[in-house]
Amino acid sequence: MKLVESIKESGGFLNRYTHESASCRCSMTFSVFLPPQATDGRVPALYWLSGLTCTDDNFRVKAGAQRYAAEHGIALIIPDTSPRGANVPDVPERYDLGQGAGFYVNATQEPWSTHYHLYDYVTAELPALVEQHLPLIPGVRSISGHSMGGHGALICALKNPGMYRSVSAFAPICHPTECGWGQGCFSAYLGDDKSLWEAYDATCLIRVGASIPEIFIDQGTADEFLLEGQLLPESLAAACQQAEVPLTLRMQAGYDHSYHFIATFIGEHIAWHAQAMA
Amino acid sequence: MKLVESIKESGGFLNRYTHESASCRCSMTFSVFLPPQATDGRVPALYWLSGLTCTDDNFRVKAGAQRYAAEHGIALIIPDTSPRGANVPDVPERYDLGQGAGFYVNATQEPWSTHYHLYDYVTAELPALVEQHLPLIPGVRSISGHSMGGHGALICALKNPGMYRSVSAFAPICHPTECGWGQGCFSAYLGDDKSLWEAYDATCLIRVGASIPEIFIDQGTADEFLLEGQLLPESLAAACQQAEVPLTLRMQAGYDHSYHFIATFIGEHIAWHAQAMA
């Protein structure tokens, strides 16, 4: 992996790397915030998965997370949301399919199946890479994300018991097989057999017995995508209740889907993950 | 003034307004963060002046200031950096002249003199407008800014003793009459008589006796524009020492000119301004 940018922030360093990804068969870019504590020791890592249209840039610029990561001594690992490049399939006129919309699955359908393997990338290739090259405590990881990335955080944790010490999400797509965004991407990436979609749907995974010690979600009540039925936290809540999976779902009055919502609560999420990784 | 957007953040509201500006003779846009304390009372106001290429958007998205403003119960008033619009003169191929580069002066030269009156706008029209329409304590104001906006904050305070309770800056252009950015804009907006430029130069103002109780500046040592001589804090420091104007100039090791630098120290600046306005 190649360091392409390094900016001092909150006493640590906000770095950007590129590398040739075996999972995605293209060059991938990701950002890492290394807190001051990483200068003379290894630190735990919080993975952040971003939402539709995002790159690794949005979270590092807009969420104000670095100061909390510095305070708690944890690294932030911030991957891109899809493979990129001129050779990577895309639908430029759509923000919710193709580049910027990897949906954290391993695509099986042409033309997506060559590059769109974000699930393998996020859960296997990237952790192995950063734990080899950066001052991280091997295996001490947590995961969070926003919207499509909240969905990604939930399924990564549910499908890999023990891999993450904790999982949280901001306004996650909780039940992608039943919302327009999820159906659009899953049908393209995974094909028409809806039973195969369920392996990447947090609500479905919990219904069939996937379990983790706790799920922590913040959701704004004025979120435009909640109101149009893209997020469906009520489906996840029902599944968790049925399966007795502990869920803390905070409905935050008046907050929308933007990074201003994330910025408001990211400090509490980072403190919670830091405690889980302590 | 017309409310065009309102987003809940940190328990308060991040609003955007448009209005017809008498100073700039065009429609102007500005943002205001109203902390939760403004719901049932009047609050002090910190004015933030942004740098070259910015609009009212950069600071509100990238600095992470709102959480501190909410904590201390102060409003943030965030004007644009220039007049805008199809009828407003511009040099589209230059980022450092015209729209996005108002430099907080009242232009006297054609074609700029019709609209480029940011000095009057920031020090008179905007405070009168927001103190009339928003829950602000009249007259209780502080001011800060970044780069070109740091220059703006310094000259607004130096030219209006008593108008602001406190002034701070991040990587300000301290001596615009002696740097490329300042000379480019001042010659265009103010003409060839350099003696007229000195009325908008913090270092020159202090040399001729302008005084304020204290100036607080953070400057990164790895700031690319410091290294190329655009900022000249050493000139301001020398003038302050000569004139016995108290200056706290913190050279922050390794920090650059970006919002990641601002995000690192904005909490300390807001706490300092809040104390001055208490």
Side-chain angles (χ1 to χ4, degrees), chain A residues 6-14 60-68 252-256 258-264 266-267, chain B residues 6-14 60-68 252-256 258-264 266-267:
Chain A
S6 183
I7 298 172
K8 193 168 179 185
E9 181 167 4
S10 296
F13 288 92
L14 182 60
R60 55 183 254 161
V61 169
K62 298 180 177 180
Q66 285 85 304
R67 67 192 64 176
Y68 297 111
Q252 300 286 5
Y255 287 90
D256 69 8
S258 74
Y259 267 89
H260 298 291
F261 160 61
I262 300 173
T264 301
I266 191 70
Chain B
S6 184
I7 298 172
K8 192 167 180 186
E9 182 168 3
S10 296
F13 288 93
L14 182 58
R60 56 183 254 162
V61 169
K62 297 181 177 180
Q66 285 84 305
R67 67 191 66 176
Y68 296 111
Q252 301 287 6
Y255 287 90
D256 70 9
S258 75
Y259 267 89
H260 298 290
F261 161 61
I262 300 173
T264 300
I266 191 71

Side-chain angles (χ1 to χ4, degrees), chain A residues 21-178:
Chain A
S21 165
S23 312
C24 297
R25 296 179 188 150
C26 64
S27 175
M28 293 289 285
T29 298
F30 63 94
S31 285
V32 174
F33 177 68
L34 290 172
Q37 296 85 344
T39 305
D40 42 37
R42 292 180 177 271
V43 296
L46 173 63
Y47 289 73
W48 174 269
L49 305 186
S50 296
L52 289 166
T53 77
C54 291
T55 67
D56 66 309
D57 203 52
N58 304 67
F59 181 71
R60 55 183 254 161
V61 169
K62 298 180 177 180
Q66 285 85 304
R67 67 192 64 176
Y68 297 111
E71 181 186 328
H72 292 286
I74 67 174
L76 304 172
I77 314 291
I78 314 164
D80 201 348
T81 58
S82 79
R84 305 269 178 188
N87 297 326
V88 172
D90 193 19
V91 188
E93 67 276 18
R94 287 187 59 176
Y95 74 94
D96 56 355
L97 185 67
Q99 295 188 30
F103 243 93
Y104 306 103
V105 304
N106 291 331
T108 58
Q109 304 297 303
E110 292 294 335
W112 312 103
S113 52
T114 306
H115 299 286
Y116 282 73
H117 296 151
L118 261 285
Y119 178 74
D120 281 352
Y121 180 73
V122 163
T123 59
E125 183 177 6
L126 185 61
L129 183 75
V130 296
E131 291 184 5
Q132 182 186 346
H133 292 289
L134 297 176
L136 305 176
I137 305 172
V140 180
R141 317 176 191 102
S142 290
I143 192 163
S144 186
H146 174 231
S147 196
M148 177 182 75
H151 142 77
L154 293 173
I155 63 163
C156 288
L158 287 164
K159 290 164 76 70
N160 297 280
M163 181 168 176
Y164 303 99
R165 299 285 177 95
S166 49
V167 57
S168 78
F170 292 76
I173 300 172
C174 292
H175 197 11
T177 61
E178 295 296 332

Side-chain angles (χ1 to χ4, degrees), chain A residues 241-265:
Chain A
Q241 189 174 24
Q242 181 74 22
E244 297 183 358
V245 172
L247 167 67
T248 300
L249 171 59
R250 307 195 302 187
M251 298 303 292
Q252 300 286 5
Y255 287 90
D256 69 8
H257 199 70
S258 74
Y259 267 89
H260 298 291
F261 160 61
I262 300 173
T264 301
F265 299 107

Side-chain angles (χ1 to χ4, degrees), chain B residues 10-226:
Chain B
S10 296
F13 288 93
L14 182 58
N15 295 340
R16 178 171 276 143
Y17 302 91
T18 61
H19 71 118
E20 285 302 314
S21 165
S23 311
C24 297
R25 296 178 189 153
C26 64
S27 175
M28 293 290 285
T29 298
F30 62 94
S31 286
V32 174
F33 177 68
L34 291 173
Q37 296 86 344
T39 305
D40 42 36
R42 292 181 176 270
V43 296
L46 173 63
Y47 289 73
W48 174 269
L49 305 185
S50 296
L52 288 167
T53 77
C54 290
T55 66
D56 67 310
D57 203 53
N58 305 67
F59 181 71
R60 56 183 254 162
V61 169
K62 297 181 177 180
Q66 285 84 305
R67 67 191 66 176
Y68 296 111
E71 181 186 329
H72 293 285
I74 67 174
L76 304 173
I77 314 291
I78 313 164
D80 201 348
T81 57
S82 79
R84 306 267 177 189
N87 297 325
V88 172
D90 193 18
V91 188
E93 66 276 19
R94 287 187 59 177
Y95 75 93
D96 56 354
L97 185 66
Q99 295 188 28
F103 243 93
Y104 305 102
V105 304
N106 291 331
T108 57
Q109 305 297 302
E110 291 296 336
W112 313 103
S113 53
T114 306
H115 299 285
Y116 282 73
H117 296 151
L118 260 285
Y119 178 74
D120 281 352
Y121 180 73
V122 163
T123 59
E125 184 177 5
L126 185 61
L129 184 74
V130 295
E131 291 183 5
Q132 183 187 345
H133 294 288
L134 297 176
L136 305 175
I137 305 172
V140 179
R141 315 176 193 102
S142 289
I143 192 163
S144 187
H146 174 230
S147 194
M148 178 183 75
H151 142 78
L154 293 173
I155 63 163
C156 288
L158 287 164
K159 290 165 76 71
N160 296 280
M163 182 167 176
Y164 303 98
R165 298 285 178 95
S166 50
V167 57
S168 78
F170 292 77
I173 300 172
C174 292
H175 196 11
T177 62
E178 294 297 331
C179 76
W181 279 339
Q183 291 167 343
C185 280
F186 284 10
S187 60
Y189 301 153
L190 304 173
D192 293 334
D193 182 352
K194 292 194 179 184
S195 70
L196 300 176
W197 301 3
E198 296 173 4
Y200 295 111
D201 179 307
T203 299
C204 296
L205 286 166
I206 288 171
R207 283 181 188 158
V208 297
S211 188
I212 39 183
E214 191 178 354
I215 297 172
F216 174 27
I217 293 175
D218 272 320
Q219 171 64 58
T221 64
D223 182 327
E224 56 273 37
F225 302 111
L226 172 71

